[in-house]
Amino acid sequence: MPPKVVSVAAGEAHTLALTGDGEVYSWGRGMFGRLGTGLEADELVPTAVAPVVAAGGRPRPRFVAVASGAYHSLALDDLGSPETLQAEAQNSGTQSSLKLSSVKAGGMMSFAIDTLGAMWMWGNCPQQTDAGEFCIAASSAPLPVWDFHGHTVVKVACGNEHVVAAVSAGETYTGGDLVCYAWGNNNHGQLGLGDKESRSRPVLISAFSEESSWEVYEIACGAWHTAVLTNKKSFDVDLESRCWTFGIGDNGQLGHGTTATICSPRPVDGLPTGSFLISLDCGLFHTTVVSSDGEVWCWGMERGLGLCPDASFSGVDSGDALRPIRIQSPETNGFKFLGPVQVTCGAAHTVLVAGDGYRMWAWGRGRSGVLGRNQTADSYIPCVVMWPPLDENFQEIHEDRAQASTSGVNDRNSAELEQKLSAASEELQFLRSKLTLMERYANILHISIFRKPLDERTLPRSLQESPVFDIRKEFENILDTSDTDELNRLEIFYRSMLSGVKDKLFKRRVQEMVQECIISLSQGRQTPRGQ
């Protein structure tokens, strides 16, 4: 099977892809060594990074997370214990060795979250001066963010000079209890606090507080705007997700139909309401969301971002997209991509992981090969990224084919190679379609039982410890870790489901009784009078 992409990240003009077997591939602009290939040359197709292996014989690292800033990249290996964090932990008196669980980057800064739920930052980060004023200061070593002590940081996103974090309302994260904090430069209202005053320390966004009727599950930052995905807390209604944006709107990147700047979170109209929004990201001046049905919606700066598939950028077609525009899928000749997984946005390009991780699409500005299709031309419609990369076996086959075609005397061998390639491609397509069907069924089943999408990076414990998924055991674990409010919502949800089943059984029984009466009356009419 080809390598499966489990995560992607995009910088100013480069893209990273993480596979399920722990490999990282990069392509696009190579200046400053951001591709990790050991060179500063551009790469037009996905190329494996070349990690430095220690002289002590340390094995090649297995990566578990990636992140991209404007001109730098991060990759987290499964050891997850950078020496700088260990030293900081020793200085602060912590006995146990810290391990990281995730990384994030944006602009000229980087962030990491450790397994204890604490957050670390380095680079050009928003900080507080001795006088208590806001500033952007550079740090070459990770600094802890002490403001969230006693809480668990779950997600973080950052723009050029602002940060947004999704943090547990209580001490531990139990699922569905995230609140949002923001700090940094706020000259365009990108913090969502209702004003344009910059903050040197995290401040709670009231629209996404514990009292809000919406719970946060995804966050993203553009250069000077922010986007948040939320889910309705009430379980007595259908699952409803919504996208909120705030900050600068000069290019329509907020999706509200205007170019006005918004200082408080406002929902984006025009997005699908009957499907779950599974992924979100922001570019420099554009925003993209993906639904569980495979629909991709973009808005913001039009030129070079492929927001309008048929745009010619002349006359009435020119200009920015002020409202969400649905991207057409070349794969289905419609508006749905099969097996959507994640979307990521660079400064002026967008990359979508689909095919349940086995296919990638890209569109937007193509300079330096950032679209990964062995070209540098722009693309205003989704084009296929050259994935998977050719392995050694396919390289040998292609070399043999080239030699056979140039010599002109091995036509028979060339035909045999063509047949082998055709058979291998058909078998691969068959297996991929079967795997896609099984994963889609598993995801639907998981959502119907546990009310959240299946993520292979956080597989249930019973499935990790055994080849058999014990649904009853896993459901009991969820009940044990749920608070009273969560249990009440689950009761309402399953009571509604049970009521629906009872109604359906009752209606079916009534139909059967009516049918029996009709048959009985029909037979009575056919009986002779003398009998």
Side-chain angles (χ1 to χ4, degrees), residues 222-336:
W224 296 287
H225 77 288
T226 305
V228 178
L229 291 184
T230 63
N231 181 42
K232 195 76 171 180
K233 287 183 179 179
S234 176
F235 275 36
D236 58 352
V237 296
D238 294 336
L239 194 65
E240 180 183 356
S241 58
R242 182 169 292 184
C243 178
W244 307 70
T245 57
F246 43 96
I248 193 170
D250 288 356
N251 299 102
Q253 57 265 53
L254 302 185
H256 298 149
T258 70
T259 57
T261 291
I262 305 296
C263 298
S264 297
R266 180 181 297 179
V268 178
D269 296 328
L271 295 176
T273 57
S275 58
F276 191 75
L277 301 178
I278 62 172
S279 185
L280 160 79
D281 204 12
C282 300
L284 197 62
F285 302 114
H286 75 293
T287 309
T288 306
V289 296
V290 182
S291 73
S292 57
D293 292 339
E295 292 184 342
V296 179
W297 299 79
C298 296
W299 59 93
M301 180 174 284
E302 188 175 64
R303 181 173 296 277
L305 296 177
L307 299 182
C308 295
D310 300 322
S312 60
F313 299 110
S314 62
V316 296
D317 288 333
S318 61
D320 300 330
L322 305 184
R323 295 188 183 276
I325 296 177
R326 190 166 49 170
I327 300 299
Q328 188 168 5
S329 169
E331 183 179 27
T332 61
N333 197 28
F335 291 98
K336 291 187 177 182

Side-chain angles (χ1 to χ4, degrees), residues 439-456 458-461 463 469 471 474-475 478 493-494:
E439 289 186 339
R440 190 170 300 162
Y441 176 76
N443 192 47
I444 294 175
L445 184 62
H446 195 272
I447 292 176
S448 66
I449 297 175
F450 302 113
R451 299 287 291 171
K452 60 182 179 180
L454 177 64
D455 187 348
E456 68 177 39
T458 56
L459 286 175
R461 188 182 309 165
L463 189 58
F469 185 22
I471 295 180
E474 190 61 35
F475 193 71
I478 290 180
F493 171 69
Y494 284 107

Side-chain angles (χ1 to χ4, degrees), residues 165-220:
V167 185
S168 65
E171 184 174 353
T172 59
Y173 175 58
T174 59
D177 63 341
L178 294 180
V179 296
C180 250
Y181 287 83
W183 71 102
N185 193 324
N186 195 32
N187 55 354
H188 298 288
Q190 59 264 46
L191 300 186
L193 302 176
D195 55 45
K196 295 184 179 181
E197 180 183 351
S198 298
R199 307 300 203 279
S200 58
R201 300 179 62 180
V203 177
L204 178 67
I205 303 176
S206 59
F208 308 122
S209 64
E210 195 173 3
E211 292 74 24
S212 171
S213 59
W214 298 90
E215 58 187 28
V216 175
Y217 65 90
E218 193 62 69
I219 53 178

Side-chain angles (χ1 to χ4, degrees), residues 16 42 70 95 164 210 252 263 267 298 310 325 362 412 426 457 473 512 514:
L16 303 177
D42 296 345
Q95 297 297 324
V164 177
E210 195 173 3
C263 298
C298 296
D310 300 322
I325 296 177
R412 182 177 179 181
E426 290 179 1
R457 291 167 291 181
K473 179 180 178 181
E512 291 174 354
V514 171

